[in-house]
Amino acid sequence: MSAATEAAAIPITVDFSGGLEMLFDNQRRHSVSLPAVDASGKPATIAFLIDHLCRTLMKDPRAELFVLDNHIRPGILVLINDADWELEGEEAYEIQPRDNILFVSTLHGG
Amino acid sequence: MGEASINGEPAAAKAAPNGCSRRLTDDEFDRYSRQMIVPGMGKEGQLRLINSRVLIIGAGGLGCPAAQYIAGAGVGTIGIIDGDVVETSNLHRQVGHATARIGMKKVDSLITHLRGLNPLPTYVSHPFHINPQNAAEVISQYDLVMDCTDNPVTRYLISDICVLVCKPLVSAAAIQKSGQLTVLNCPPTPQGLVDGKYAPCYRCCFRKPPPPSSMVSCGEAGIMGSVVGLMGVAQAGEAIKILASALHIPSPPAAGDTPERNLQQPTLLIYTYDLESAVGPYSFRALKMGGRKRNCFACGENSTLTLAGIRAGEPDYVQFCSVPTSSVSLPPEERITAAAYHAAKQKGELPEHILLDTREKEHFSFGSIEGAVNVPFGKLLMKAAAIKRDVSPASEILPLESEKTDVPIFVVCRRGLDSQETVEKLKELGLDNGGKRRIVDIMGGMKAWKEEVDPTFPFI
């Protein structure tokens, strides 16, 4: 891996809603500079982003409220540019510059 | 449902098939004139509403505002199902009830309010909770269902029944400062049809419920009345749109029309705002969702879901929504009842100690046990993690002294769960000095304190 690609970062915005913001310093929008490739040199995907957020952005130690068994926990929707990630390839979606990724917890109260 | 719960003429007369071409009565004409002149509505749309039957499940924070606009718009038959009674703490958001009706069944209270607003519709009271045994019978009597409930067990049940009896479902939810709204199974399509574009059901959008540990109710976490009200009103708007344009009628598979004709882009509307700052990144957001899923448990091609199965307890909704949690169970010597703590303190038998109260600061602000120090549970966990990470002294987690390492620590929370976890966490950090220092959970939290010690305590 060359020094240039190692340093390359993708600018994106990451939003949290439905109570998940609580795990990220009560802030609903974060500007994130995501490394363009993961440790093995593969392009950054949603799976990589989730791991990156857990390592760098999460202030609350209750990681199990966000990930379970290395996957996003049940009851959280992931939206890529306002579309359900299932329409975009889920964890394998390769992140593009200026993407907006929204994590929203399913609500049940009423 | 009993005959006595239906007012006016028999429902059959109102649902007459030729009802779509009749004259409006003078009262109807006056009452609905302002909405009938809206482009797209007209006399035809109004008559469709008058001939429609809507079931509102839950007469609470969503159901009250939803029902007001459903009734106001002139939907002909309005069923309401709920087994609760009106409580004072409901009234800031459940605006279809009244102070004078505290203690009354919610369905009866809400229907009283709706009759005052519009006496023309037929109101049907179902004064019990919906469950797997009664759900299909109640839901089949209606054209459209509004999910205004407050828990995932009921939400999955309602959606499954709507799939099986082919009813559109308008679903909303809210907590604290966030709300969600989505239209499901509309137009309704028989279970198992997957070749083509069809609307999703609740399970297509929300395949699995969140773990119980991550779920809180409005009673625990709080809810702003305007937030849940907004979602309820939006629900009514979607229902009225569907009924007035006849989108609720399943298209016969053999007809020339393709099901895509009426298929809207499946959308999840979310609403969030901040109380703390005026400017947030967004308030409303419309999210694009997928359609019916081929492998969906309820509506997919190999689904084994049946009405008979549901009635017999298959699937088990309670089990599905409650993955076992690893709850802490402390030995008896690490616990004390609220009454025993109080008695020992009164008699001067309690040594000098630290009392940690792990409730949120909003809860703490209404009152606490004398001498208690507030360290909210979330903050405490964060501090604990920081201590582990930075290898800083564990005593930093304690707000007061760090000198007297033998002073016992008592922990109290709201209902007695977080406090037990806190005791475990403090021991894990070594604050018990290898067992020399006592760390004790006050059983049952401030709820028990109110019940056993001080009935005037302002517990929320």
Side-chain angles (χ1 to χ4, degrees):
Chain A
M1 190 190 321
S2 76
T5 52
E6 202 172 348
I10 311 173
I12 57 170
T13 51
V14 179
D15 292 343
F16 300 97
S17 182
L20 290 175
E21 62 274 18
M22 182 187 80
L23 303 175
F24 294 89
D25 212 14
N26 268 313
Q27 198 181 319
R28 287 198 278 124
R29 172 160 289 183
H30 296 258
S31 292
V32 172
S33 223
L34 185 71
V37 292
D38 67 12
S40 57
K42 295 202 187 80
T45 59
I46 293 283
F48 176 66
L49 170 68
I50 291 169
D51 183 54
H52 180 81
L53 293 176
C54 286
R55 280 186 289 109
T56 62
L57 205 58
M58 197 183 305
K59 292 276 163 54
D60 198 292
R62 287 172 289 181
E64 74 276 8
L65 294 180
F66 190 60
V67 284
L68 272 180
D69 305 326
N70 289 321
H71 296 287
I72 205 83
R73 79 148 163 81
I76 295 179
L77 299 176
V78 184
L79 293 119
I80 300 165
N81 301 321
D82 282 351
D84 189 352
W85 72 339
E86 294 187 358
L87 303 169
E88 307 283 348
E90 303 198 5
E91 285 187 340
Y93 171 83
E94 290 179 12
I95 299 200
Q96 306 299 314
R98 288 172 299 284
D99 272 352
N100 172 263
I101 314 294
L102 165 67
F103 296 92
V104 53
S105 175
T106 318
L107 305 182
H108 292 286
Chain B
M1 96 200 133
E3 281 298 312
S5 60
I6 300 181
N7 71 336
E9 305 157 54
K14 295 205 169 193
N18 60 351
C20 275
S21 56
R22 73 165 169 89
R23 256 182 85 98
L24 293 172
T25 65
D26 289 350
D27 190 3
E28 287 169 340
F29 190 80
D30 271 353
R31 186 177 288 272
Y32 306 128
S33 57
R34 295 301 184 273
Q35 80 183 19
M36 288 192 294
I37 56 174
V38 173
M41 215 22 222
K43 180 184 159 197
E44 196 189 357
Q46 186 61 51
L47 281 169
R48 284 205 189 104
L49 290 186
I50 291 172
N51 288 311
S52 297
R53 298 160 300 175
V54 166
L55 177 64
I56 297 168
I57 306 181
L62 292 164
C64 282
Q68 295 189 70
Y69 287 90
I70 292 292
V75 169
T77 302
I78 302 170
I80 302 173
I81 176 167
D82 196 318
D84 285 341
V85 297
V86 179
E87 294 176 26
T88 313
S89 64
N90 298 149
L91 294 174
H92 81 287
R93 64 189 189 282
Q94 302 183 16
V95 293
H97 304 305
T99 307
R101 296 197 294 273
I102 288 164
M104 192 191 272
K105 282 271 186 189
K106 280 187 179 177
V107 278
D108 298 329
S109 167
L110 181 53
I111 289 174
T112 302
H113 173 71
L114 299 176
R115 281 219 175 93
L117 181 66
N118 186 355
L120 299 182
T122 298
Y123 296 102
V124 185
S125 157
H126 304 279
F128 44 81
H129 288 299
I130 197 161
N131 64 39
Q133 282 68 48
N134 64 27
E137 198 204 324
V138 176
I139 288 177
S140 332
Q141 300 166 34
Y142 296 89
D143 301 313
L144 180 143
V145 177
M146 302 178 71
D147 184 346
C148 302
T149 63
D150 61 1
N151 66 86
V153 172
T154 316
R155 289 182 184 279
Y156 282 98
L157 169 67
I158 292 169
S159 172
D160 287 356
I161 300 283
C162 285
V163 166
L164 291 169
V165 300
C166 263
K167 306 290 178 187
L169 173 61
V170 183
S171 181
I175 199 149
Q176 290 190 333
K177 300 169 285 180
S178 301
Q180 295 176 352
L181 166 77
T182 183
V183 173
L184 301 161
N185 205 33
C186 185
T189 318
Q191 179 190 33
L193 281 189
V194 290
D195 293 314
K197 280 187 182 161
Y198 300 101
C201 76
Y202 191 77
R203 287 185 192 266
C204 296
C205 295
F206 311 107
R207 202 164 58 85
K208 278 189 192 169
S213 60
S214 72
M215 276 188 287
V216 282
S217 68
C218 291
E220 291 163 39
I223 175 75
M224 295 303 288
S226 56
V227 172
V228 67
L230 192 59
M231 302 325 289
V233 173
Q235 248 181 313
E238 291 303 306
I240 289 166
K241 180 170 79 185
I242 291 164
L243 296 169
S245 44
L247 288 169
H248 60 293
I249 298 164
S251 25
D257 281 338
T258 58
E260 284 97 302
R261 173 189 61 133
N262 288 329
L263 184 67
Q264 305 175 26
Q265 169 62 51
T267 301
L268 176 71
L269 180 79
I270 66 172
Y271 173 68
T272 314
Y273 80 106
D274 274 329
L275 275 173
E276 295 85 4
S277 72
V279 188
Y282 52 81
S283 288
F284 287 101
R285 217 160 150 175
L287 309 171
K288 205 166 99 184
M289 303 300 287
R292 171 175 281 188
K293 292 209 168 52
R294 185 169 283 276
N295 63 355
C296 175
F297 173 83
C299 63
E301 62 182 338
N302 294 318
S303 172
T304 55
L305 187 73
T306 63
L307 290 177
I310 291 175
R311 220 171 287 121
E314 182 61 39
D316 182 337
Y317 291 92
V318 174
Q319 172 68 26
F320 176 63
C321 295
S322 60
V323 183
T325 51
S326 58
S327 61
V328 187
S329 56
L330 298 172
E333 62 272 20
E334 291 178 9
R335 310 190 73 184
I336 187 170
T337 63
Y341 174 88
H342 177 68
K345 197 172 175 182
Q346 290 297 97
K347 287 189 211 148
E349 288 169 8
L350 271 191
E352 183 192 352
H353 64 279
I354 299 170
L355 176 59
L356 291 186
D357 186 327
T358 62
R359 293 175 298 160
E360 292 301 318
K361 70 174 194 294
E362 288 77 11
H363 287 271
F364 188 81
S365 72
F366 292 101
S368 57
I369 300 174
E370 193 193 341
V373 181
N374 187 214
V375 185
F377 188 59
K379 287 221 173 74
L380 185 132
L381 290 182
M382 267 187 257
K383 274 192 189 174
I387 287 166
K388 273 190 181 168
R389 200 173 47 233
D390 308 335
V391 209
S392 48
S395 58
E396 275 184 14
I397 205 163
L398 301 175
L400 305 170
E401 52 83 65
S402 51
E403 309 301 317
K404 298 180 192 162
T405 51
D406 54 340
V407 174
I409 303 170
F410 287 80
V411 187
V412 70
C413 66
R414 190 168 162 268
R415 304 184 62 146
L417 291 176
D418 289 353
S419 56
Q420 295 186 62
E421 276 199 51
T422 303
V423 170
E424 286 283 291
K425 188 58 78 180
L426 297 180
K427 286 196 297 184
E428 206 179 295
L429 291 170
L431 283 166
D432 63 340
N433 294 332
K436 275 181 261 161
R437 171 195 230 168
R438 288 188 73 204
I439 305 182
V440 185
D441 159 50
I442 297 181
M443 290 160 71
M446 295 310 294
K447 185 166 185 283
W449 182 265
K450 184 185 175 77
E451 287 162 4
E452 299 168 18
V453 178
D454 178 8
T456 68
F457 182 80
F459 176 81
I460 298 182

